[in-house]
Amino acid sequence: MRRNTLGVEEFYSEILRGLLDILGEELLAAFVFGSTIYYGKGRDVDIVAVVSKDRNMKEKLALEYRIRRHLCRDYRICGADLHVMGVSEFRENLKPGTFLSGFALGYRVLLDRGNIEKEVLSFLKLLSGSDYVIYNRYGRWNLGRHAGITYRRRKRELEKDSLHDGFSL
């Protein structure tokens, strides 16, 4: 993965450019989550791309392969763990126990044209009221507690951004 030689902002910008190269206007939202976010590094980068069109599994896997290959060949970002999901599939996976529960540990919005993050925040708020715990190679994670932290931090960031939107420097 090329992240070590790039600044964080450039790394995320290149991921987004690679997604837009293939998906164009169909891309509604893009998120990075997982160890790249909560540890600042990882052996892969976990990406969720929310698109306007639902696909069957064969089409979805072919598209994911095409995007991963493009990111690796053209941007030297190899090792992407990419999930392309239609809006309905994304919503179905915003539940405790799915891989999107990992958003509780932190995430980064690369693009949000469909106001999709609002649904992520609702999910985190719901999850924060639970005692949902997972175990993985990194240890024990109380996702309910982390969801609350991530939710509050992101809400503060969004409020701060909205205060600055009306002003130009």
Side-chain angles (χ1 to χ4, degrees):
M1 187 169 25
R2 200 170 147 216
R3 181 166 189 257
N4 296 336
T5 61
L6 296 175
V8 173
E9 295 303 318
E10 185 179 353
F11 177 69
Y12 292 141
S13 291
E14 288 196 351
I15 290 171
L16 180 57
R17 276 196 302 274
L19 292 171
L20 287 168
D21 289 346
I22 303 293
L23 296 169
E25 292 298 314
E26 188 183 347
L27 182 64
L28 298 177
F31 302 94
V32 173
F33 70 109
S35 58
T36 302
I37 299 296
Y38 56 82
Y39 279 134
K41 62 180 181 172
R43 69 170 195 255
D44 64 1
V45 57
D46 298 295
I47 305 166
V48 173
V50 182
V51 295
S52 57
K53 179 183 173 187
D54 288 326
R55 289 177 166 77
N56 66 40
M57 188 58 70
K58 185 176 179 181
E59 294 169 329
K60 181 176 150 19
L61 292 173
L63 180 59
E64 289 171 353
Y65 174 76
R66 183 174 162 218
I67 295 169
R68 277 194 310 274
R69 190 177 72 193
H70 176 63
L71 286 171
C72 191
R73 278 186 178 171
D74 298 341
Y75 293 97
R76 293 186 6 242
I77 299 172
C78 303
D81 186 7
L82 174 68
H83 304 274
V84 176
M85 311 171 92
V87 175
S88 60
E89 184 182 4
F90 183 76
R91 286 179 179 144
E92 288 171 20
N93 278 281
L94 281 175
K95 295 179 184 161
T98 68
F99 78 100
L100 292 183
S101 295
F103 275 47
L105 299 172
Y107 65 95
R108 171 79 178 248
V109 179
L110 304 182
L111 177 75
D112 189 7
R113 292 194 264 218
N115 208 16
I116 305 293
E117 186 182 15
K118 189 167 118 178
E119 297 186 44
V120 173
L121 290 169
S122 294
F123 167 63
L124 292 176
K125 188 174 182 181
L126 175 72
L127 190 59
S128 71
S130 72
D131 240 357
Y132 186 69
V133 176
I134 65 163
Y135 296 86
N136 65 17
R137 69 176 167 265
Y138 301 113
R140 180 184 186 275
W141 299 89
N142 183 331
L143 289 187
R145 181 172 171 270
H146 285 283
I149 293 167
T150 300
Y151 173 78
R152 288 187 300 276
R153 185 179 65 233
R154 188 63 186 141
K155 287 294 273 187
R156 278 193 307 270
E157 289 170 358
L158 290 170
E159 288 166 3
K160 182 180 170 186
D161 287 348
S162 70
L163 289 175
H164 293 351
D165 284 345
F167 301 99
S168 60
L169 299 174

